[in-house]
Amino acid sequence: MTIGLNCVSAENNTLIMSSEVEEDELKIKNEEDRTGDLVGASEDGHYNISFDDGYNGYCINYGDEEATKGNNFIVKDTSEAINRQSKESIGNELKTFFVEYYDIAMQDTVKTQHIIWHFSDDFTGKRVDSKLMEEIKATSSQKIIPDHGAVKKINNTTEAVFDFEVLQSTNPGHQNFFAYKITYRDIVQAIINETNNNNSNLTNDTLKNESTPTTPENKTNTSENTPVIPKNKTENIKAQIKEDNTKNDISNENDSKDSKSHKSYLKKHVTGYNFIPALIILLLGTLLLVKYARD
């Protein structure tokens, strides 16, 4: 049975138009917490079949009994995907194939199944390009792809977020599956949301800094560090300035009155220098009278 995969299919993948950082982190945590959960096959088959947890999966046990709709599987992390000959984990190689070679993985579901069998069961066939296999192995050795949250730019407007898991069959002799889920999101909207989130954090930081007293260290760049004062605080400051000016006017008026009173006080207590000219005139007059009396 052949099942095609549309990159933006409403059935197998979800196209979202927003990307809040907190929501993405929560989704990743929720996916990681699903290890050990029980899920069921939504259809029969062995390649790119759907499961009731929203993932699609490819068989990683060539030759075993394929899944039947309703079969149960246990969620495992991708380290449980192994090569049945060497017993080594192939999880990162398969994740690398889906993320770094996205176009090839989405192009042909039969070819993708054969490539996966090459890693899990040393399968060879006309759809398995040995050169491509070596490239995937070399790339996977240089980078670890997480089970949840890997992001790849698809085009100028869209990026894909990947989730991976291994589904272990509860039926002996039945195939296990390497499963994936791709969520597509709009790049422009993601940038807008991230910018809004940063602006919100900046506003909160500014409000917190309003209560912090200015010190010589943070006076160095007042144009950048001066907090925005809310309207009600501005009105309170204006009222305070008016009150201070009124107090200053009263203080200046009192100072003026005190100054005048002080000058008057000093005038009253000047020593008798103003009576000297009168005494001299009186003395000269007396001498003249005595002189004329003798004559």
Side-chain angles (χ1 to χ4, degrees):
M1 178 173 60
T2 301
I3 301 173
L5 173 65
N6 187 337
C7 292
V8 291
S9 170
E11 294 180 1
N12 298 330
N13 304 294
T14 304
L15 176 63
I16 61 174
M17 303 304 292
S18 63
S19 172
E20 293 292 348
V21 176
E22 295 84 355
E23 291 181 358
D24 288 346
E25 291 177 347
L26 181 60
K27 288 177 182 177
I28 292 172
K29 186 176 185 302
N30 289 340
E31 289 293 338
E32 292 175 344
D33 289 344
R34 292 182 54 251
T35 302
D37 284 1
L38 199 65
V39 301
S42 299
E43 58 184 325
D44 302 342
H46 63 269
Y47 61 94
N48 201 41
I49 68 170
S50 59
F51 295 85
D52 60 17
D53 61 350
Y55 284 69
N56 277 48
Y58 285 88
C59 166
I60 52 175
N61 299 109
Y62 178 71
D64 285 358
E65 188 73 24
E66 67 178 24
T68 301
K69 182 178 180 180
N71 284 166
N72 290 324
F73 295 81
I74 301 171
V75 176
K76 301 285 186 177
D77 63 56
T78 59
S79 65
E80 297 294 326
I82 61 172
N83 178 285
R84 290 207 290 181
Q85 306 303 321
S86 67
K87 306 303 180 181
E88 294 179 355
S89 176
I90 58 170
N92 197 57
E93 292 170 328
L94 297 183
K95 289 183 290 185
T96 298
F97 171 50
F98 274 86
V99 175
E100 302 299 336
Y101 299 84
Y102 167 86
D103 292 337
I104 297 175
M106 298 294 110
Q107 186 177 39
D108 183 340
T109 55
V110 174
K111 180 178 180 178
T112 295
Q113 178 64 82
H114 288 187
I115 290 173
I116 291 173
W117 276 338
H118 174 79
F119 287 107
S120 65
D121 296 89
D122 297 332
F123 179 85
T124 58
K126 64 179 182 179
R127 288 186 172 88
V128 179
D129 182 348
S130 59
K131 184 178 178 180
L132 175 62
M133 300 304 101
E134 293 304 317
E135 287 182 6
I136 295 172
K137 290 177 182 178
T139 303
S140 68
S141 67
Q142 299 171 5
K143 182 179 181 181
I144 301 299
I145 304 294
D147 281 7
H148 305 285
V151 178
K152 180 180 178 62
K153 182 179 179 181
I154 304 302
N155 53 47
N156 291 332
T157 61
T158 307
E159 60 186 10
V161 182
F162 295 82
D163 290 290
F164 300 101
E165 65 187 14
V166 164
L167 294 175
Q168 184 182 77
S169 177
T170 58
N171 298 321
H174 282 63
Q175 298 168 351
N176 299 323
F177 286 78
F178 177 82
Y180 71 96
K181 180 173 68 174
I182 304 176
T183 303
Y184 297 90
R185 65 188 186 189
D186 184 81
I187 294 176
V188 175
Q189 187 62 42
I191 294 173
I192 292 173
N193 289 336
E194 183 175 355
T195 301
N196 290 338
N197 185 59
N198 291 337
N199 288 340
S200 177
N201 291 336
L202 180 61
T203 300
N204 292 334
D205 291 340
T206 301
L207 293 175
K208 290 179 181 178
N209 290 335
E210 285 183 4
S211 59
T212 304
T214 303
T215 61
E217 289 78 11
N218 59 25
K219 280 186 177 180
T220 55
N221 194 349
T222 51
S223 63
E224 293 181 359
N225 296 330
T226 303
V228 178
I229 302 175
K231 182 178 179 182
N232 60 339
K233 290 192 175 183
T234 303
E235 293 175 351
N236 292 337
I237 292 173
K238 288 181 178 180
Q240 184 64 45
I241 292 173
K242 184 176 180 181
E243 181 180 349
D244 291 343
N245 289 338
T246 302
K247 290 180 179 180
N248 289 337
D249 291 341
I250 294 173
S251 177
N252 291 336
E253 183 179 350
N254 291 335
D255 289 344
S256 178
K257 290 180 180 179
D258 290 343
S259 178
K260 291 179 180 179
S261 175
H262 183 64
K263 290 178 180 179
S264 175
Y265 175 81
L266 291 177
K267 187 175 182 180
K268 289 179 182 179
H269 292 81
V270 172
T271 55
Y273 296 118
N274 290 336
F275 297 103
I276 292 175
L279 291 175
I280 294 173
I281 295 171
L282 181 60
L283 181 59
L284 290 176
T286 302
L287 293 174
L288 289 174
L289 288 176
V290 172
K291 181 179 179 182
Y292 286 128
R294 288 180 180 177
D295 295 339

